[in-house]
Structure formats: structure tokens, C-alpha cells
Amino acid sequence: TKVGLNVIHGLGIFLCSLYGVLRADALAYANAPESQAAKAGSGAQDEHKWLHDVFAIAWPQIDKWLHRKVTEELAPALNAALPSLMKGRILVKSATIGKATPNFGPVITRERGCGDVVIDIGIDLSSQLNLSLEAFGISVGIQDLVLNGTLSVILAPPASRPPFFGAVEVYFVNPPKVDFHLTGTALVAEQLPRIKRIIHDAVASIVNKTMVLPARVAADIHEDDKDHVDLRFPAPLGIMRLTMLQGHGLRAADYSIVQMATSDPYVKIEIGQTVWTSSTVKRTLEPIWSEGNVVDLPVYDLAQSVKLSAWDEDVSTADDLLGESKRLVISEILSGKDAKVSVPLSFNGAAAGSLLMSAAWFGLGSNKPRYLSNGPSCLLASLKLQSISGLPPGHGAGASPPFTVLVSASSGASERSDQSHHSLWLPEVSEEVHQICKHMQASGAHDISAVTGLDPWKVKYCGLVRTNAAEAERYLETVKENMARENPTFEQIVHLLLPPPANGSCTVLKMELQDKSKHCIGAALEVPLEELLAAPNCTLSGPFSVAWPDPVKKLSNWKSMSYGFSRRLIRSSPENARARQKHVESPKGSRQAESPGSGTRSLRDGQAGATSTGCVVWHTCLRAQWLQTDS
């Protein structure tokens, strides 16, 4: 990933220097579309030759990144898509990436927000991928992966010093089209469309999770400007509310000799990585929805598009596609004078009825509007998960990483984080520091870490790396495993839409660390929503300490099964915070002081006088934003 970020970093600086050329190219393209279309072919290839040259130079690094993605993520993604009884039945036997031949164009520049520059690059990538799979005992080969879509490069925010932009973001606004050829026993696989669909969906899933909004690859050019987590997981521009009203002239998919042909229609709405499904209206070709027909969709770029499809619900067989729409650009949906939009559907190239929906837009802000949104949500809670420390090894025995965090609200809304990783960062250590460590170790010194400023494990690594490189690498792998298990790191922001609070009820936001089996590990963090909304700018900054239960007290069977229980957030007073300096036991046993200004919410902190189990520390920040209904 760091290699990929370095490539994107360099590409961003290069794009900044060529911004003027790109803007002139885009304006010429927009002002003379017919002449540009006439020049398609060799002329267009010459226009974007510099992009081909950049891609050719960067390909060795991209090739390594793609190979790791295929070998490490494809098989798990394929098996995750299978029913529980079929899991583990698809294996990746071999994978080679080969060369890739991209075609670029058109290149169009647009402005977003206050001076942000967006460069939309059409890309048609054909790779010589050769992948050998074993699916349900059948040898299946995948060749010639083709990817077609529009890649957006964002230069933002504007800066006063070269290269005049603070960061580079790269993403697909909409899911690219993915296709491939089956080889080997492909004739057998072609007769099993379910296998082909699983493989296709798994490949598309990897692309979508990595590069399709809200996912993105981001690099900070001015490293002092913005936190890289905020850069990779920005808040949405706003919320678009779609209400499915009715359908007209839909296809019939259920036939009977007793009654007229009909359908049981429902609607799927797709935007980015999100797929929402409406309720089903029984036995009609002219459905009218009155419930289960409203959805709030976070929007990250107004160039994102929405796709609608109507389906016939079946009980004993797969649901039938009744028709699907073309992709509708959000900016065009919202620019219409009428809030209602009629969307034509097609099936196998023929008209297949239409759907009528309404659209509304809500901005986001920390000020509570005069009246709340009458819909599925009125608040967006954003939880910035950095890491979790202080997990006692004696609790949750047998739990192994990667972990996830389940973010939920007592109102029923929930989202799950990405998987955790270790927090190991191994900077270059100078030769002088190596020599200092070596001489101090030889003299029997015990305070090497304090003198050099290095963590104890880095001191040991410095002593090994110059004497026994193989042993140093083995030790480093052990450190990584310990860190991943004892100090899981997420570096992610989870966004959660919340419904209007019910009269007299208190909504509580809850964060639980869970293992692969979704068992709770450690102590969960619970934050009352009213406390978050009462905080300045609706923001609470951690870290937050949550005490473990006293081991002397007996836990109920339910609590024991969950490896611990949650503790409500208790805010330390400023006087108490200044009175004593808080400490948190690090995973390796060293004491890390937390400054009084860090705002740690502590019930017990592992010091003398506290329980022997200490506390779990959630390094997180919470923020709430209201859906603005006043504008």
C-alpha cells in the first residue's frame, strides 16, 4: 500500500505541474465535441500519450500491488460470497498479472467546491491476467481481465506553496465495468452461471472496496496540513433522500393458468458501494409503495450516479429482473425543477415500464435545524477509530486478529469497520543509533530505550539486524503479531446515519471490538448521543478509558461469554485531570504517559490502586452533524 501511495504521490505532483495543459485540453474538448470525436483514434492517443508514459513507468510498482491484491484477497472474497455450506470450496492455485494495455481519454477537468480541481480520466484497461482457480473441484481459468470506467484525480485543498494543492485523491466515482474470459474447463463453468457470477462479483468487490467511492487512494503532499485518516475517509458532501413512489407498466414474471400474469415487484437502488432494497408489493404490474420506500444515501461527489432496477420476488427460485435503468447522475437528478423523477426501464434492449421517485437534498452541519427531517435519519454520526490499547491478554483467550469494530446505536442503526491491522512502523534507523545501541548492549546498559528514544522492541531489532538478519526478520514478525493482537489499529472513520430520537428516549452510541466469530473482546465503549450533541461543535475527542470488571466479582454466564462488558462513558473533571498524570499499560509492558490535556475519560487506568485488570483505552473521536432542513 505504501508503494502504491508513493506512486500516487508522485503522479499527483506531476499532474499539478501539468494542470494548465489539462485544463486547456478539457476546454478544447468541451467547446468542440464534434471535432474532438472526429479526432478519436490516433489523434486521441497522441493527445494522452503522456498518460501512457506515466503508466508505463509506474507499471512495475502497480504490478506488484495488483499481484498482492489478487493472491491475498481474491480467494477470501470468493469464498465470502458463497453460502455457509460451500465456504472454502474455491482456491486460487496460481496467478500471473502480465502486461497491461490502458487506453486513456477523454480527460476532462472540473472544479469542485472552493478551488478543488477534479480531473476525470477515462480508462479502458486490458490486462494479461492469467488466474487458475479450483471451484468445487472444477479447474477454472480466468484470462484477459478488462476494466472500463472513469478515474477521478482530485487535487485539494488549494495551497499557497508549490505544488499549490495539499493532497491527491484518486477514486472511481462509479463502479467500473469488469469483464474477463473463462478458460480451461470453461465450457463446464459456462454451464454454471452461479460460479461465474460469484467470480465476477468477487473481482468487482475487490475493485469497489479499494477504489470506488467512498473508498479512495489518498496521499498528503503537505504532510502538516491534514490527518491522513481524515483524507481517506471524508464526510459526505450531503445526504440525498430518494422516495420510491410507484411503478408503471412493469413486466410480468409470474405466470399461471388460473390468473393473469403478474409480478411481485421491489426496487434496488445502487450508488457507489451501496445497494438498497425497497419493500415488495404483491401481485401487481402497477405497484404503489407506501412503506419501506424511503432511503437516505450519503453522496461524496455530485458526479456519482444512481442505478435503479425492478425485480420480481420469488420464494423457491431466484428473483427475476424486470428491468433496469441507465445510470442517473446525481447533479442532474437534483437540478430538475420538479422533485419527482420518472425513470424509464429496459430489459434486453426493449422498454420495460418506468418507476416514479422523488429526490431531496440535505446538507450537513453542527447547528440543529429549526425542524427535524421527516425521514429515516436526521443525524450523521462519524466515529474516527484510530486504535485500541490495554487489552488484557488473559481475557478473550483464543481470539486472534484481524478484529472489527461494530458501531451501533440503540435505535437499531449499525455499521461495521474494516479489519484491523498492526501499528508497526519501522523508520530508518541511522548507523550512529545502531552503533550506540550496540555499545550500550555490550556494556550491559538497561536504559537504552530511554537514552535513544526508541521503543524496547526497536532496540532489540537494532541489535539483531546487523548481526543476524534472518533472526531480526523473525523477531519483527513476532512483534507484528503481538501488536495486531494486543493493540489493533484501524485508522478509519465509520459514518452512521441516525433516525430522529424518540420522545423521552436516550440514544446511545456503542462501539464493540469483535473477533472473527463476532465475539466481543474487551470492554465496549458507550456514549450517550445527548452528550455528544451538547459538546462544542458536536465533537468529543478521546482517548476514552473503560474499566474492566473486578476479577473478584463473579460475572453472569452471558457476560462471561462476551469476554467482558461495556461501561458508560465517564468524563474526568479538569481538576482531576490536572491532579494526576494518567498512564496506560502498553502492549509490551512499558508505561506510556498521557498528558492531562489529552482528555482521557478514565474509570480506572491500570495504576496502583486500580484493579489488576486495568482498562481498555479507545483512541477515537466522535462527531455528529445534523441534516440541514432550513435551506
Side-chain angles (χ1 to χ4, degrees), residues 38 121 185 195 220 282 341 351 380 415 425 440 489 550 608 630:
I121 305 172
T185 55
I195 293 180
D220 195 357
K282 295 292 186 180
V341 181
L380 176 72
E415 291 286 346
W425 179 62
M440 293 185 72
T489 299
D550 191 330
D630 298 337

Side-chain angles (χ1 to χ4, degrees), residues 125-129 143-147 178-181 203:
L125 177 65
S126 300
S127 69
Q128 297 178 356
L129 173 70
Q143 280 188 347
D144 304 329
L145 179 68
V146 177
L147 185 145
V178 176
D179 199 5
F180 53 84
H181 296 295
V203 173

Side-chain angles (χ1 to χ4, degrees), residues 200-220:
H200 178 277
D201 291 348
V203 173
S205 174
I206 293 175
V207 175
N208 292 349
K209 289 181 179 179
T210 305
M211 293 290 290
V212 176
L213 283 177
R216 67 197 69 205
V217 176
D220 195 357

Side-chain angles (χ1 to χ4, degrees), residues 70-148:
V70 170
T71 55
E72 295 180 4
E73 297 187 19
L74 182 57
L78 288 170
N79 283 292
L82 294 173
S84 57
L85 295 178
M86 299 182 182
K87 291 188 182 301
R89 301 294 302 277
I90 296 183
L91 305 174
V92 177
K93 297 169 65 177
S94 64
T96 56
I97 302 300
K99 294 183 179 180
T101 308
N103 290 313
F104 295 104
V107 177
I108 300 177
T109 307
R110 56 187 170 93
E111 187 175 355
R112 184 192 71 181
C114 301
D116 297 353
V117 175
V118 182
I119 306 168
D120 293 324
I121 305 172
I123 179 171
D124 190 346
L125 177 65
S126 300
S127 69
Q128 297 178 356
L129 173 70
N130 194 337
L131 188 64
S132 177
L133 301 173
E134 183 176 305
F136 306 100
I138 302 173
S139 295
V140 179
I142 298 177
Q143 280 188 347
D144 304 329
L145 179 68
V146 177
L147 185 145
N148 178 274

